[in-house]
Amino acid sequence: MYLTTSISKVIVNSRYDNPFQLGSSTVDWCEPNYVISEYIAEFWNTVSNIFFFLVPPFMIILFRPYSKRVANGIGILWIILIIIGAGSVYFHATLSLAGQLVDEISILWVLALGYALFLPAAYLPQSFRVQRHRFVYSCIIFASIITGCSFVYPYANAFALMALGLPAIFFIVLHLLRSESTRIKSLGIHCFAMWVIAVTIWISDRMFCSYWLSISFPYLHSIWHLLILFSSNQGIVICGYLTIKQQNPQVNLHLHYWPNEQWKWLSLPYLKFHDEDNDNLSTKSII
């Protein structure tokens, strides 16, 4: 199923002896290995991660006023997205078990911190509603335990992460339906559509590789990288908006696009308070 050279052949029994060894991961995507470069296992799956290093820094800058007024927690998510990109580059370039684990564990922490920051208090036990930091600590402990478990059977990690992300999709859709902002709803539809397409592509690359090889297009996973990055980025923006609006429906918070409002699907969404001179304390420390 896969085109390989001698550099990608490893002894199966030694996979866990040296997780940094080339090809030590049991996961091998559909793109043929070491075809374009003798130093990069999956070339297009590697270089397609470039947007993980470009989009998050811009988002941190665009959200600086938001972070200053609310809290800095949301910026951590974009920092971890950069780490995910770095882990994905390392994984697809080497197909090593260490690279796979860095990639997947980073995704786990983005999901865990996303729940810690954005999950509405209405879904939490009373003790967590009163003292939100307890829930944040619980999410950190949960992520730490799952991080340890991820070393037991790494092949199943990707499917477990998919399952962990499903409740987030449910909560976003549920609260989008209650939102009065047509712009944020439109962004939500676009985000959800990209996520569905991305997951479909991910499954297709994994399950139907022989077909994509037969038509000489085994590059679906590189497209997955682009779609999941932009859908995740939009999801963070949507959650940031919905969280503030749930706490204070009257706050003057609006969705904008950079650099061009007219080409919004080719631009980066961000949030801006239109009453920044009015330092409304009720919007602080929510996230």
Side-chain angles (χ1 to χ4, degrees):
M1 176 180 287
Y2 308 104
L3 299 179
T4 60
T5 62
S6 58
I7 196 172
S8 65
K9 295 179 180 179
V10 296
I11 301 174
V12 175
N13 291 335
S14 68
R15 288 185 186 272
Y16 291 93
D17 294 337
N18 183 6
F20 297 95
Q21 181 178 350
L22 297 177
S24 55
S25 172
T26 58
V27 177
D28 191 355
W29 296 97
C30 195
E31 181 181 356
N33 301 335
Y34 298 103
V35 172
I36 296 180
S37 171
E38 62 178 309
Y39 303 105
I40 301 176
E42 297 173 345
F43 182 83
W44 293 112
N45 285 350
T46 300
V47 300
S48 61
N49 288 289
I50 186 172
F51 287 98
F52 280 90
F53 303 98
L54 299 178
V55 172
F58 274 103
M59 295 304 299
I60 292 173
I61 295 172
L62 290 171
F63 265 74
R64 185 175 297 166
Y66 179 99
S67 297
K68 182 179 179 181
R69 179 163 175 171
V70 180
N72 295 323
I74 194 170
I76 298 175
L77 296 177
W78 283 304
I79 293 174
I80 299 180
L81 282 182
I82 297 175
I83 297 174
I84 289 175
S88 186
V89 166
Y90 177 39
F91 171 42
H92 291 291
T94 64
L95 292 180
S96 65
L97 177 60
Q100 176 190 341
L101 291 174
V102 170
D103 184 15
E104 293 171 344
I105 290 172
S106 300
I107 297 173
L108 164 66
W109 280 90
V110 160
L111 291 171
L113 292 179
Y115 284 118
L117 296 174
F118 299 130
L119 187 65
Y123 300 103
L124 301 178
Q126 186 63 34
S127 59
F128 286 163
R129 297 181 194 179
V130 177
Q131 295 180 303
R132 179 81 184 195
H133 67 276
R134 289 187 176 182
F135 177 63
V136 175
Y137 294 152
S138 297
C139 289
I140 293 174
I141 294 172
F142 171 79
S144 300
I145 294 173
I146 299 301
T147 295
C149 294
S150 66
F151 291 86
V152 177
Y153 186 51
Y155 185 83
N157 290 348
F159 299 97
L161 290 173
M162 289 283 187
L164 185 61
L166 287 177
I169 299 297
F170 169 78
F171 290 128
I172 291 175
V173 172
L174 179 63
H175 287 272
L176 276 174
L177 293 175
R178 300 173 181 173
S179 175
E180 297 179 356
S181 171
T182 56
R183 285 170 66 86
I184 205 73
K185 283 185 176 181
S186 178
L187 180 64
I189 293 172
H190 191 261
C191 172
F192 183 71
M194 278 203 300
W195 182 82
V196 170
I197 295 172
V199 171
T200 302
I201 285 176
W202 187 91
I203 294 173
S204 183
D205 181 271
R206 193 126 175 178
M207 303 296 294
F208 307 109
C209 178
S210 58
Y211 169 75
W212 297 110
L213 285 171
S214 71
I215 63 174
S216 301
F217 193 76
Y219 309 114
L220 290 185
H221 195 74
S222 61
I223 300 175
W224 147 268
H225 286 156
L226 299 177
L227 293 176
I228 202 62
L229 168 64
F230 285 101
S231 62
S232 298
N233 184 63
Q234 291 178 359
I236 294 173
V237 175
I238 292 168
C239 288
Y241 178 91
L242 294 175
T243 302
I244 297 297
K245 280 293 188 178
Q246 183 184 39
Q247 296 289 334
N248 187 350
Q250 303 304 319
V251 70
N252 201 0
L253 181 66
H254 293 269
L255 173 67
H256 293 275
Y257 292 89
W258 182 90
N260 194 313
E261 290 283 341
Q262 302 301 318
W263 303 342
K264 59 182 182 178
W265 302 135
L266 299 177
S267 301
L268 297 178
Y270 69 100
L271 302 175
K272 181 179 180 181
F273 290 99
H274 284 197
D275 58 349
E276 292 184 0
D277 292 334
N278 178 17
D279 193 13
N280 191 336
L281 295 177
S282 64
T283 63
K284 289 191 173 184
S285 301
I286 297 173
I287 301 177

